[in-house]
Amino acid sequence: MSTGVIIVLIVIVVALVAAVIARLVMARGAGGGQSLKRRFGPEYDRALARHDGDSKAAERELEERVQQHGSLREQPLDPTARERYAVRWTAIQEQFVDSPRDAVVEADRLLAEVAGARGFPAGDRYEEQLSALSVHHAHHVNGYRRVHLAAHPNGAGADRADTEELRESLVEARALFEALTTADRHARDDKAQLRKADRGEEEAAGTTRTDSSRGRSHAPWALNRRHVKGS
C-alpha cells in the first residue's frame, strides 16, 4: 500500500471520528434538557419560571444542584427513630384541627430534622437543604417549600394564609415526610428511578411519581376537608 493511500485512509478515519464526536456532543446537548425534565419534574418547571422561560439558565441551575448534591448518600433511619418521627407526624395531624398554624410550624421543624437525620444539610441551612432535597426527592419537595413559607411568612399580610391553604400545604408535605421515613428498600427504588432518568430510558410521563410510598404510611393520614375546623 502506497504512502498516498495510507494518508488518504488516515484522513478519512479522522474525519469519521470527528463527525461521530460532533454528533455525540450535539445529541448530549439536545438530550440534556429532557433528562433534567425527567429527573426534576415540577422542579424543572419552577426553575424555568424563575428564569423567565430561559431554559438554558434553568438547566444550568439544575445541573449545578446535581453537581453539588448528586453524590449525597442518604443515611438510613433505624426503626426506633422512624417510629418516633411517625408518632410526631401523627401528633401534628391531630394538632392541626385546633391550631393549624402551629401544626404547620411544627411540620416545618420536623421535616428539617428528618432531612438532617437522613444526611441532608442541617435545617438551619434551609436553602441548601431544599436544594439537596430537590435533587433526590424532586417530585415531593414542594410540600416542604410550602410548609416552610407558611411557617416563616414574609411581608405585610403574608401570615394571613387561610386554613384551607395550610391544610393543602401540610397534605402535600406528607409525601416528602413519607419518602424520607420509608424503609431503605423504597429509598433504593427512588434511586433506581433517578438513574433511569439520567440514562433517558423512561418516557417523561412515566417518571412523575406523585407519592412513592402510597399505601405504606406509618400513620393514617386523614387531613381531609372534614378535619378543617369549621368546615
Side-chain angles (χ1 to χ4, degrees), residues 165-187:
E165 291 173 330
L166 295 175
R167 184 194 70 83
E168 290 175 356
S169 69
L170 200 55
V171 168
E172 188 175 357
R174 177 194 66 176
L176 178 61
F177 175 79
E178 292 186 342
L180 290 171
T181 56
T182 48
D184 293 337
R185 174 171 59 86
H186 305 310

Side-chain angles (χ1 to χ4, degrees), residues 1-12:
M1 185 179 294
S2 67
T3 302
V5 173
I6 293 174
I7 292 174
V8 170
L9 290 175
I10 292 174
V11 170
I12 292 173

